[in-house]
PDB file of all heavy atoms in Angstrom:
ATOM      1  N   ASP A  36     -22.646  27.218   1.597  1.00  0.00           N
ATOM      2  CA  ASP A  36     -23.639  26.640   0.695  1.00  0.00           C
ATOM      3  C   ASP A  36     -22.917  25.697  -0.269  1.00  0.00           C
ATOM      4  O   ASP A  36     -21.700  25.616  -0.266  1.00  0.00           O
ATOM      5  CB  ASP A  36     -24.328  27.759  -0.106  1.00  0.00           C
ATOM      6  CG  ASP A  36     -25.415  28.438   0.716  1.00  0.00           C
ATOM      7  OD1 ASP A  36     -25.349  28.348   1.966  1.00  0.00           O
ATOM      8  OD2 ASP A  36     -26.310  29.060   0.124  1.00  0.00           O
ATOM      9  N   ARG A  37     -23.679  25.039  -1.109  1.00  0.00           N
ATOM     10  CA  ARG A  37     -23.094  24.035  -1.993  1.00  0.00           C
ATOM     11  C   ARG A  37     -21.930  24.580  -2.835  1.00  0.00           C
ATOM     12  O   ARG A  37     -22.023  25.641  -3.436  1.00  0.00           O
ATOM     13  CB  ARG A  37     -24.168  23.476  -2.926  1.00  0.00           C
ATOM     14  CG  ARG A  37     -23.626  22.358  -3.814  1.00  0.00           C
ATOM     15  CD  ARG A  37     -24.623  21.933  -4.837  1.00  0.00           C
ATOM     16  NE  ARG A  37     -25.873  21.539  -4.210  1.00  0.00           N
ATOM     17  CZ  ARG A  37     -26.981  21.287  -4.904  1.00  0.00           C
ATOM     18  NH1 ARG A  37     -26.987  21.387  -6.211  1.00  0.00           N
ATOM     19  NH2 ARG A  37     -28.064  20.936  -4.285  1.00  0.00           N
ATOM     20  N   VAL A  38     -20.850  23.824  -2.840  1.00  0.00           N
ATOM     21  CA  VAL A  38     -19.642  24.220  -3.563  1.00  0.00           C
ATOM     22  C   VAL A  38     -19.640  23.523  -4.918  1.00  0.00           C
ATOM     23  O   VAL A  38     -19.820  22.308  -4.994  1.00  0.00           O
ATOM     24  CB  VAL A  38     -18.386  23.821  -2.758  1.00  0.00           C
ATOM     25  CG1 VAL A  38     -17.124  24.152  -3.524  1.00  0.00           C
ATOM     26  CG2 VAL A  38     -18.398  24.513  -1.401  1.00  0.00           C
ATOM     27  N   LYS A  39     -19.489  24.307  -5.972  1.00  0.00           N
ATOM     28  CA  LYS A  39     -19.460  23.692  -7.291  1.00  0.00           C
ATOM     29  C   LYS A  39     -18.047  23.521  -7.835  1.00  0.00           C
ATOM     30  O   LYS A  39     -17.805  22.667  -8.678  1.00  0.00           O
ATOM     31  CB  LYS A  39     -20.297  24.526  -8.288  1.00  0.00           C
ATOM     32  CG  LYS A  39     -21.783  24.407  -8.056  1.00  0.00           C
ATOM     33  CD  LYS A  39     -22.286  22.960  -8.099  1.00  0.00           C
ATOM     34  CE  LYS A  39     -22.550  22.444  -9.499  1.00  0.00           C
ATOM     35  NZ  LYS A  39     -23.136  21.067  -9.448  1.00  0.00           N
ATOM     36  N   SER A  40     -17.120  24.376  -7.393  1.00  0.00           N
ATOM     37  CA  SER A  40     -15.745  24.146  -7.827  1.00  0.00           C
ATOM     38  C   SER A  40     -14.767  24.724  -6.817  1.00  0.00           C
ATOM     39  O   SER A  40     -15.087  25.676  -6.099  1.00  0.00           O
ATOM     40  CB  SER A  40     -15.507  24.754  -9.211  1.00  0.00           C
ATOM     41  OG  SER A  40     -15.373  26.148  -9.101  1.00  0.00           O
ATOM     42  N   SER A  53     -16.143  28.295  -5.456  1.00  0.00           N
ATOM     43  CA  SER A  53     -17.281  28.999  -6.047  1.00  0.00           C
ATOM     44  C   SER A  53     -18.527  28.210  -5.692  1.00  0.00           C
ATOM     45  O   SER A  53     -18.555  26.981  -5.770  1.00  0.00           O
ATOM     46  CB  SER A  53     -17.115  29.143  -7.550  1.00  0.00           C
ATOM     47  OG  SER A  53     -17.118  27.891  -8.160  1.00  0.00           O
ATOM     48  N   LEU A  54     -19.542  28.958  -5.241  1.00  0.00           N
ATOM     49  CA  LEU A  54     -20.724  28.303  -4.706  1.00  0.00           C
ATOM     50  C   LEU A  54     -21.857  28.285  -5.730  1.00  0.00           C
ATOM     51  O   LEU A  54     -21.920  29.122  -6.629  1.00  0.00           O
ATOM     52  CB  LEU A  54     -21.188  29.026  -3.434  1.00  0.00           C
ATOM     53  CG  LEU A  54     -20.119  29.324  -2.386  1.00  0.00           C
ATOM     54  CD1 LEU A  54     -20.760  29.910  -1.134  1.00  0.00           C
ATOM     55  CD2 LEU A  54     -19.332  28.068  -2.026  1.00  0.00           C
ATOM     56  N   TYR A  55     -22.702  27.350  -5.543  1.00  0.00           N
ATOM     57  CA  TYR A  55     -23.859  27.182  -6.413  1.00  0.00           C
ATOM     58  C   TYR A  55     -24.745  28.428  -6.394  1.00  0.00           C
ATOM     59  O   TYR A  55     -25.393  28.759  -7.366  1.00  0.00           O
ATOM     60  CB  TYR A  55     -24.643  25.974  -5.902  1.00  0.00           C
ATOM     61  CG  TYR A  55     -25.640  25.437  -6.881  1.00  0.00           C
ATOM     62  CD1 TYR A  55     -25.214  24.727  -7.993  1.00  0.00           C
ATOM     63  CD2 TYR A  55     -27.000  25.608  -6.674  1.00  0.00           C
ATOM     64  CE1 TYR A  55     -26.128  24.200  -8.888  1.00  0.00           C
ATOM     65  CE2 TYR A  55     -27.921  25.092  -7.567  1.00  0.00           C
ATOM     66  CZ  TYR A  55     -27.476  24.389  -8.676  1.00  0.00           C
ATOM     67  OH  TYR A  55     -28.377  23.873  -9.554  1.00  0.00           O
ATOM     68  N   ASN A  56     -24.744  29.140  -5.266  1.00  0.00           N
ATOM     69  CA  ASN A  56     -25.608  30.311  -5.159  1.00  0.00           C
ATOM     70  C   ASN A  56     -25.004  31.553  -5.810  1.00  0.00           C
ATOM     71  O   ASN A  56     -25.545  32.632  -5.691  1.00  0.00           O
ATOM     72  CB  ASN A  56     -25.996  30.559  -3.693  1.00  0.00           C
ATOM     73  CG  ASN A  56     -24.850  31.129  -2.864  1.00  0.00           C
ATOM     74  OD1 ASN A  56     -23.807  31.520  -3.401  1.00  0.00           O
ATOM     75  ND2 ASN A  56     -25.048  31.192  -1.570  1.00  0.00           N
ATOM     76  N   GLY A  57     -23.840  31.394  -6.465  1.00  0.00           N
ATOM     77  CA  GLY A  57     -23.269  32.520  -7.186  1.00  0.00           C
ATOM     78  C   GLY A  57     -22.169  33.251  -6.449  1.00  0.00           C
ATOM     79  O   GLY A  57     -21.536  34.138  -7.001  1.00  0.00           O
ATOM     80  N   SER A  58     -21.919  32.904  -5.209  1.00  0.00           N
ATOM     81  CA  SER A  58     -20.845  33.565  -4.464  1.00  0.00           C
ATOM     82  C   SER A  58     -19.522  32.841  -4.667  1.00  0.00           C
ATOM     83  O   SER A  58     -19.495  31.663  -5.034  1.00  0.00           O
ATOM     84  CB  SER A  58     -21.150  33.547  -2.972  1.00  0.00           C
ATOM     85  OG  SER A  58     -22.168  34.446  -2.678  1.00  0.00           O
ATOM     86  N   SER A  96     -23.075  30.327 -15.086  1.00  0.00           N
ATOM     87  CA  SER A  96     -23.987  29.368 -14.470  1.00  0.00           C
ATOM     88  C   SER A  96     -25.324  29.325 -15.205  1.00  0.00           C
ATOM     89  O   SER A  96     -26.080  28.392 -15.053  1.00  0.00           O
ATOM     90  CB  SER A  96     -24.171  29.661 -12.974  1.00  0.00           C
ATOM     91  OG  SER A  96     -24.822  30.878 -12.825  1.00  0.00           O
ATOM     92  N   PRO A 100     -24.755  23.009 -17.142  1.00  0.00           N
ATOM     93  CA  PRO A 100     -24.052  21.882 -17.748  1.00  0.00           C
ATOM     94  C   PRO A 100     -24.992  20.971 -18.526  1.00  0.00           C
ATOM     95  O   PRO A 100     -24.574  20.300 -19.453  1.00  0.00           O
ATOM     96  CB  PRO A 100     -23.461  21.134 -16.567  1.00  0.00           C
ATOM     97  CG  PRO A 100     -23.614  22.025 -15.388  1.00  0.00           C
ATOM     98  CD  PRO A 100     -24.596  23.097 -15.716  1.00  0.00           C
ATOM     99  N   TRP A 233     -18.661  17.393  -4.968  1.00  0.00           N
ATOM    100  CA  TRP A 233     -18.836  17.981  -6.300  1.00  0.00           C
ATOM    101  C   TRP A 233     -17.543  18.262  -7.039  1.00  0.00           C
ATOM    102  O   TRP A 233     -17.506  18.317  -8.256  1.00  0.00           O
ATOM    103  CB  TRP A 233     -19.644  19.289  -6.210  1.00  0.00           C
ATOM    104  CG  TRP A 233     -21.041  19.049  -5.764  1.00  0.00           C
ATOM    105  CD1 TRP A 233     -21.590  19.413  -4.580  1.00  0.00           C
ATOM    106  CD2 TRP A 233     -22.053  18.351  -6.488  1.00  0.00           C
ATOM    107  NE1 TRP A 233     -22.885  18.988  -4.506  1.00  0.00           N
ATOM    108  CE2 TRP A 233     -23.202  18.330  -5.680  1.00  0.00           C
ATOM    109  CE3 TRP A 233     -22.112  17.731  -7.744  1.00  0.00           C
ATOM    110  CZ2 TRP A 233     -24.385  17.729  -6.066  1.00  0.00           C
ATOM    111  CZ3 TRP A 233     -23.300  17.133  -8.135  1.00  0.00           C
ATOM    112  CH2 TRP A 233     -24.426  17.135  -7.297  1.00  0.00           C
TER     113      TRP A 233
END
Side-chain angles (χ1 to χ4, degrees):
D36 280 22
R37 184 187 304 171
V38 177
K39 288 304 277 184
S40 76
S53 64
L54 311 186
Y55 196 73
N56 74 10
S58 287
S96 66
W233 294 111

